[in-house]
Amino acid sequence: MTFDFSALPSTTRVGSASLSITLYHSFPDDIRLALESPGGTVVMLMANAGSDLDIVNTTLVFSEFGSTLSNDGQITSGTYLAGQAFNADILLGAPAPQGPYAMTMEAFRGETAAGTWRVWAYDDASADTGLITTASLQLQTETFPNPRLTPPPTTSTQPFIRLRLVDPGRISSHSVNWRVTNGSAFYDA
């Protein structure tokens, strides 16, 4: 399954990513799910979780924040952390990328968002069946500050310019440090 983000500018960076996937499976312990970025980073979302308890029309959202999946309990719709792998053998079948895999969605942070993203689904047994009915990938991208220069207040006695970062939806932190000099005096802002 692929998601095409190739229309994004190549300079667009991932701030965070979340994948929502709705599925059915009669033995979820057989499922291995991974998400691959255009840059080749592969995050194992889940492997061998949920034991033999059927999942029916269950929506799993994998993000940087959420609960942990159970190794042997019922999987219900909800938001979960990636990396819920409960067996030493978590490799995906060919042609999927082979390990090692990242185990957190944070592994995508700072990567180029543009390109083709892939979800790899692998069922490690043939006796039970499953179906993915919907999937969506949401990328929040990093934004960069848009500095604005504003003159000092007219009542100011210090020769400086105030720099303010205008970036209401930023994901990552930005900071600016500067020093203004006036002859031999320094003014830290």
Side-chain angles (χ1 to χ4, degrees):
M1 176 180 316
T2 61
F3 299 95
D4 184 5
F5 285 87
S6 59
L8 291 174
S10 62
T11 56
T12 304
R13 302 282 179 214
V14 175
S16 66
S18 65
L19 176 75
S20 175
I21 190 162
T22 303
L23 58 133
Y24 294 78
H25 203 284
S26 56
F27 199 94
D29 193 72
D30 294 347
I31 301 172
R32 297 177 193 165
L33 288 175
L35 178 61
E36 181 182 13
S37 72
T41 299
V42 181
V43 172
M44 179 59 66
L45 302 172
M46 65 179 278
N48 309 313
S51 188
D52 63 348
L53 303 169
D54 292 6
I55 53 176
V56 179
N57 198 32
T58 303
T59 301
L60 307 177
V61 178
F62 294 96
S63 76
E64 294 180 13
F65 308 100
S67 303
T68 56
L69 285 170
S70 172
N71 182 22
D72 55 6
Q74 180 69 53
I75 296 175
T76 59
S77 293
T79 301
Y80 296 97
L81 296 169
Q84 305 302 302
F86 296 102
N87 189 332
D89 178 20
I90 61 168
L91 293 178
L92 299 167
Q98 299 305 297
Y101 306 114
M103 302 303 264
T104 67
M105 296 297 271
E106 288 90 343
F108 297 127
R109 190 172 290 146
E111 285 196 20
T112 299
T116 301
W117 291 72
R118 290 179 173 79
V119 173
W120 296 96
Y122 178 69
D123 188 327
D124 65 13
S126 60
D128 295 284
T129 60
L131 172 70
I132 295 173
T133 57
T134 63
S136 65
L137 176 63
Q138 180 179 7
L139 299 178
Q140 288 186 330
T141 58
E142 288 186 340
T143 57
F144 297 96
N146 177 15
R148 272 195 199 152
L149 298 176
T150 56
T154 56
T155 58
S156 174
T157 59
Q158 297 179 351
F160 70 90
I161 295 175
R162 180 171 296 166
L163 180 65
R164 189 174 128 220
L165 298 179
V166 179
D167 193 7
R170 75 175 184 239
I171 298 298
S172 59
S173 300
H174 303 287
S175 62
V176 175
N177 297 313
W178 74 97
R179 179 172 268 196
V180 178
T181 63
N182 180 12
S184 60
F186 290 96
Y187 299 95
D188 287 320

